[in-house]
Amino acid sequence: MAKIIESYHVPVLLEKSVDGLDIKPGGVYVDVTFGGGGHSREILSRLYGGAHLYSFDQDADAERNVEPQDNFTFVRSNFRYLKNWMKYYGVNGLDGLLADLGVSSHHFDDETRGFSFRFDSPLDMRMNKRGGDTAADLLNKNDEEQLADIFYLYGELKNSRRLASAIVKARIRKKIQTTQDLMDVVAPLFPKERGKKEMAKLFQALRIVVNHEMSALREMLVGAAELLKPGGRLSVITYHSLEDRMVKNVMKTGNPEGKMEQDFFGRVNTPFRLVNNKVVVPDAEEQERNPRSRSAKLRIAEKR
């Protein structure tokens, strides 16, 4: 498997996230975010006793990093279909699942994909280029209220309505098709001292909606909670508050909404036990080595 393009993606919290799986002999493990294969390679190096790893990625670019290996199966699919694929492969239970959420360095650095405002490129942002609306489609088709909701809910931008209004007015004159087209419209609405951070939030919001990231994460986490065996581990790295909140809710209450159900004695009914009560973050050395790790948070839970 492990033919890795090192520049594709620097795996974040590599040792700690894989340590969190507490790998057992003969276990069945899943890496739902293969990317450059860094986490998968580390998991494979620790498998023994007939253990097997299934790794998911919907991006054709990621699949090019794969080489066949007896104890490894690559699944080119969105991780939201975790349960379907495990059923397909005859897997009834998992001993561990790892997810490194967010976007790989490769996507940010590929100037043809539209994930970064560092390049003037087509506003695509699709993880799976085989179908679905692009970010440009979204910007040119959605009405002002829909755009404002997207920017507020998924980018947490306080001036979401002004941004949406400016975009709707601008697209009458000219379709918004490239990253530069978008920046020309919205950059004047951001304070200079926070311009890059605000722009990053805007691009994050578009990417989340284009790829249906929150609904996919919800389905995957619910599937993982069902598939994990007693003692099985869930090890998840998040990069923004929306996904981190959902992961925390599932680990603490057993559901994405964080709805607490209590027994007669007031104890919360949850299928998980938290392994790390305090969230794990990259140390100063890793953050300096890989600046994109700065927002990473690792949470680990064990199935009861």
Side-chain angles (χ1 to χ4, degrees), residues 23-29 47-53 93-96 229:
I23 291 173
K24 302 288 196 303
V28 178
Y29 296 89
L47 296 188
Y48 61 108
H52 197 92
L53 173 67
L94 300 177
D95 295 281
K229 304 174 185 175

PDB file of all heavy atoms in Angstrom, residues 23-29 47-53 93-96 229:
ATOM      1  N   ILE A  23      -4.360  -0.765  18.979  1.00  0.00           N
ATOM      2  CA  ILE A  23      -4.475  -1.853  17.999  1.00  0.00           C
ATOM      3  C   ILE A  23      -4.253  -3.235  18.621  1.00  0.00           C
ATOM      4  O   ILE A  23      -3.301  -3.461  19.374  1.00  0.00           O
ATOM      5  CB  ILE A  23      -3.497  -1.609  16.832  1.00  0.00           C
ATOM      6  CG1 ILE A  23      -3.988  -0.392  16.036  1.00  0.00           C
ATOM      7  CG2 ILE A  23      -3.375  -2.827  15.935  1.00  0.00           C
ATOM      8  CD1 ILE A  23      -3.042   0.084  14.965  1.00  0.00           C
ATOM      9  N   LYS A  24      -5.154  -4.144  18.277  1.00  0.00           N
ATOM     10  CA  LYS A  24      -5.142  -5.517  18.810  1.00  0.00           C
ATOM     11  C   LYS A  24      -4.837  -6.518  17.689  1.00  0.00           C
ATOM     12  O   LYS A  24      -5.099  -6.246  16.515  1.00  0.00           O
ATOM     13  CB  LYS A  24      -6.521  -5.856  19.401  1.00  0.00           C
ATOM     14  CG  LYS A  24      -6.990  -4.927  20.501  1.00  0.00           C
ATOM     15  CD  LYS A  24      -6.206  -5.139  21.784  1.00  0.00           C
ATOM     16  CE  LYS A  24      -6.903  -4.521  22.994  1.00  0.00           C
ATOM     17  NZ  LYS A  24      -7.183  -3.090  22.884  1.00  0.00           N
ATOM     18  N   PRO A  25      -4.317  -7.690  18.038  1.00  0.00           N
ATOM     19  CA  PRO A  25      -4.057  -8.716  17.010  1.00  0.00           C
ATOM     20  C   PRO A  25      -5.355  -9.174  16.355  1.00  0.00           C
ATOM     21  O   PRO A  25      -6.369  -9.369  17.038  1.00  0.00           O
ATOM     22  CB  PRO A  25      -3.388  -9.851  17.795  1.00  0.00           C
ATOM     23  CG  PRO A  25      -3.810  -9.645  19.216  1.00  0.00           C
ATOM     24  CD  PRO A  25      -3.931  -8.168  19.382  1.00  0.00           C
ATOM     25  N   GLY A  26      -5.324  -9.300  15.036  1.00  0.00           N
ATOM     26  CA  GLY A  26      -6.488  -9.804  14.313  1.00  0.00           C
ATOM     27  C   GLY A  26      -7.641  -8.833  14.203  1.00  0.00           C
ATOM     28  O   GLY A  26      -8.725  -9.203  13.744  1.00  0.00           O
ATOM     29  N   GLY A  27      -7.433  -7.584  14.589  1.00  0.00           N
ATOM     30  CA  GLY A  27      -8.512  -6.601  14.576  1.00  0.00           C
ATOM     31  C   GLY A  27      -8.829  -6.079  13.185  1.00  0.00           C
ATOM     32  O   GLY A  27      -8.046  -6.216  12.244  1.00  0.00           O
ATOM     33  N   VAL A  28      -9.996  -5.468  13.072  1.00  0.00           N
ATOM     34  CA  VAL A  28     -10.420  -4.833  11.827  1.00  0.00           C
ATOM     35  C   VAL A  28     -10.473  -3.334  12.075  1.00  0.00           C
ATOM     36  O   VAL A  28     -11.182  -2.865  12.977  1.00  0.00           O
ATOM     37  CB  VAL A  28     -11.803  -5.337  11.365  1.00  0.00           C
ATOM     38  CG1 VAL A  28     -12.237  -4.609  10.096  1.00  0.00           C
ATOM     39  CG2 VAL A  28     -11.767  -6.841  11.125  1.00  0.00           C
ATOM     40  N   TYR A  29      -9.710  -2.589  11.260  1.00  0.00           N
ATOM     41  CA  TYR A  29      -9.593  -1.147  11.458  1.00  0.00           C
ATOM     42  C   TYR A  29      -9.958  -0.392  10.185  1.00  0.00           C
ATOM     43  O   TYR A  29      -9.846  -0.917   9.078  1.00  0.00           O
ATOM     44  CB  TYR A  29      -8.172  -0.795  11.916  1.00  0.00           C
ATOM     45  CG  TYR A  29      -7.866  -1.406  13.260  1.00  0.00           C
ATOM     46  CD1 TYR A  29      -7.317  -2.689  13.355  1.00  0.00           C
ATOM     47  CD2 TYR A  29      -8.193  -0.745  14.436  1.00  0.00           C
ATOM     48  CE1 TYR A  29      -7.092  -3.284  14.589  1.00  0.00           C
ATOM     49  CE2 TYR A  29      -7.969  -1.331  15.671  1.00  0.00           C
ATOM     50  CZ  TYR A  29      -7.419  -2.596  15.744  1.00  0.00           C
ATOM     51  OH  TYR A  29      -7.209  -3.184  16.968  1.00  0.00           O
ATOM     52  N   LEU A  47      -0.162  -3.462  12.494  1.00  0.00           N
ATOM     53  CA  LEU A  47      -1.092  -4.590  12.405  1.00  0.00           C
ATOM     54  C   LEU A  47      -0.353  -5.917  12.491  1.00  0.00           C
ATOM     55  O   LEU A  47       0.721  -6.080  11.929  1.00  0.00           O
ATOM     56  CB  LEU A  47      -1.869  -4.532  11.084  1.00  0.00           C
ATOM     57  CG  LEU A  47      -2.799  -3.341  10.852  1.00  0.00           C
ATOM     58  CD1 LEU A  47      -3.626  -3.560   9.591  1.00  0.00           C
ATOM     59  CD2 LEU A  47      -3.714  -3.106  12.047  1.00  0.00           C
ATOM     60  N   TYR A  48      -0.966  -6.885  13.182  1.00  0.00           N
ATOM     61  CA  TYR A  48      -0.387  -8.226  13.287  1.00  0.00           C
ATOM     62  C   TYR A  48      -1.503  -9.212  13.611  1.00  0.00           C
ATOM     63  O   TYR A  48      -2.630  -8.835  13.906  1.00  0.00           O
ATOM     64  CB  TYR A  48       0.711  -8.273  14.355  1.00  0.00           C
ATOM     65  CG  TYR A  48       0.256  -7.944  15.760  1.00  0.00           C
ATOM     66  CD1 TYR A  48       0.168  -8.943  16.741  1.00  0.00           C
ATOM     67  CD2 TYR A  48      -0.074  -6.642  16.136  1.00  0.00           C
ATOM     68  CE1 TYR A  48      -0.226  -8.655  18.031  1.00  0.00           C
ATOM     69  CE2 TYR A  48      -0.476  -6.336  17.422  1.00  0.00           C
ATOM     70  CZ  TYR A  48      -0.552  -7.350  18.371  1.00  0.00           C
ATOM     71  OH  TYR A  48      -0.952  -7.064  19.651  1.00  0.00           O
ATOM     72  N   GLY A  49      -1.167 -10.474  13.491  1.00  0.00           N
ATOM     73  CA  GLY A  49      -2.138 -11.512  13.844  1.00  0.00           C
ATOM     74  C   GLY A  49      -3.348 -11.537  12.935  1.00  0.00           C
ATOM     75  O   GLY A  49      -4.459 -11.808  13.394  1.00  0.00           O
ATOM     76  N   GLY A  50      -3.159 -11.233  11.636  1.00  0.00           N
ATOM     77  CA  GLY A  50      -4.276 -11.292  10.696  1.00  0.00           C
ATOM     78  C   GLY A  50      -5.165 -10.070  10.692  1.00  0.00           C
ATOM     79  O   GLY A  50      -6.270 -10.101  10.134  1.00  0.00           O
ATOM     80  N   ALA A  51      -4.722  -8.982  11.307  1.00  0.00           N
ATOM     81  CA  ALA A  51      -5.510  -7.746  11.328  1.00  0.00           C
ATOM     82  C   ALA A  51      -5.615  -7.160   9.919  1.00  0.00           C
ATOM     83  O   ALA A  51      -4.770  -7.422   9.056  1.00  0.00           O
ATOM     84  CB  ALA A  51      -4.875  -6.728  12.270  1.00  0.00           C
ATOM     85  N   HIS A  52      -6.653  -6.341   9.695  1.00  0.00           N
ATOM     86  CA  HIS A  52      -6.890  -5.788   8.357  1.00  0.00           C
ATOM     87  C   HIS A  52      -7.308  -4.329   8.471  1.00  0.00           C
ATOM     88  O   HIS A  52      -7.975  -3.923   9.420  1.00  0.00           O
ATOM     89  CB  HIS A  52      -7.996  -6.571   7.652  1.00  0.00           C
ATOM     90  CG  HIS A  52      -8.034  -6.357   6.168  1.00  0.00           C
ATOM     91  ND1 HIS A  52      -7.363  -7.166   5.278  1.00  0.00           N
ATOM     92  CD2 HIS A  52      -8.655  -5.406   5.408  1.00  0.00           C
ATOM     93  CE1 HIS A  52      -7.582  -6.738   4.036  1.00  0.00           C
ATOM     94  NE2 HIS A  52      -8.353  -5.666   4.094  1.00  0.00           N
ATOM     95  N   LEU A  53      -6.895  -3.539   7.469  1.00  0.00           N
ATOM     96  CA  LEU A  53      -7.240  -2.122   7.410  1.00  0.00           C
ATOM     97  C   LEU A  53      -8.017  -1.821   6.137  1.00  0.00           C
ATOM     98  O   LEU A  53      -7.613  -2.208   5.032  1.00  0.00           O
ATOM     99  CB  LEU A  53      -5.976  -1.255   7.429  1.00  0.00           C
ATOM    100  CG  LEU A  53      -6.192   0.256   7.199  1.00  0.00           C
ATOM    101  CD1 LEU A  53      -6.963   0.876   8.371  1.00  0.00           C
ATOM    102  CD2 LEU A  53      -4.856   0.972   7.003  1.00  0.00           C
ATOM    103  N   GLY A  93     -18.208  -5.942  12.516  1.00  0.00           N
ATOM    104  CA  GLY A  93     -17.793  -5.115  13.640  1.00  0.00           C
ATOM    105  C   GLY A  93     -16.380  -4.597  13.443  1.00  0.00           C
ATOM    106  O   GLY A  93     -15.562  -5.235  12.784  1.00  0.00           O
ATOM    107  N   LEU A  94     -16.115  -3.426  14.032  1.00  0.00           N
ATOM    108  CA  LEU A  94     -14.802  -2.796  13.915  1.00  0.00           C
ATOM    109  C   LEU A  94     -14.123  -2.722  15.278  1.00  0.00           C
ATOM    110  O   LEU A  94     -14.767  -2.548  16.307  1.00  0.00           O
ATOM    111  CB  LEU A  94     -14.945  -1.370  13.364  1.00  0.00           C
ATOM    112  CG  LEU A  94     -15.588  -1.199  11.981  1.00  0.00           C
ATOM    113  CD1 LEU A  94     -15.707   0.285  11.650  1.00  0.00           C
ATOM    114  CD2 LEU A  94     -14.790  -1.935  10.918  1.00  0.00           C
ATOM    115  N   ASP A  95     -12.793  -2.830  15.241  1.00  0.00           N
ATOM    116  CA  ASP A  95     -12.001  -2.682  16.463  1.00  0.00           C
ATOM    117  C   ASP A  95     -11.456  -1.266  16.609  1.00  0.00           C
ATOM    118  O   ASP A  95     -10.958  -0.904  17.679  1.00  0.00           O
ATOM    119  CB  ASP A  95     -10.847  -3.683  16.451  1.00  0.00           C
ATOM    120  CG  ASP A  95     -11.355  -5.114  16.498  1.00  0.00           C
ATOM    121  OD1 ASP A  95     -11.717  -5.567  17.599  1.00  0.00           O
ATOM    122  OD2 ASP A  95     -11.414  -5.765  15.434  1.00  0.00           O
ATOM    123  N   GLY A  96     -11.539  -0.499  15.542  1.00  0.00           N
ATOM    124  CA  GLY A  96     -11.081   0.878  15.637  1.00  0.00           C
ATOM    125  C   GLY A  96     -11.327   1.640  14.346  1.00  0.00           C
ATOM    126  O   GLY A  96     -11.312   1.058  13.260  1.00  0.00           O
ATOM    127  N   LYS A 229     -17.050  -2.531  18.006  1.00  0.00           N
ATOM    128  CA  LYS A 229     -17.272  -3.575  19.002  1.00  0.00           C
ATOM    129  C   LYS A 229     -17.026  -3.008  20.396  1.00  0.00           C
ATOM    130  O   LYS A 229     -16.360  -1.974  20.543  1.00  0.00           O
ATOM    131  CB  LYS A 229     -16.299  -4.739  18.770  1.00  0.00           C
ATOM    132  CG  LYS A 229     -16.339  -5.365  17.402  1.00  0.00           C
ATOM    133  CD  LYS A 229     -15.207  -6.390  17.290  1.00  0.00           C
ATOM    134  CE  LYS A 229     -15.094  -6.979  15.905  1.00  0.00           C
ATOM    135  NZ  LYS A 229     -13.918  -7.879  15.780  1.00  0.00           N
TER     136      LYS A 229
END
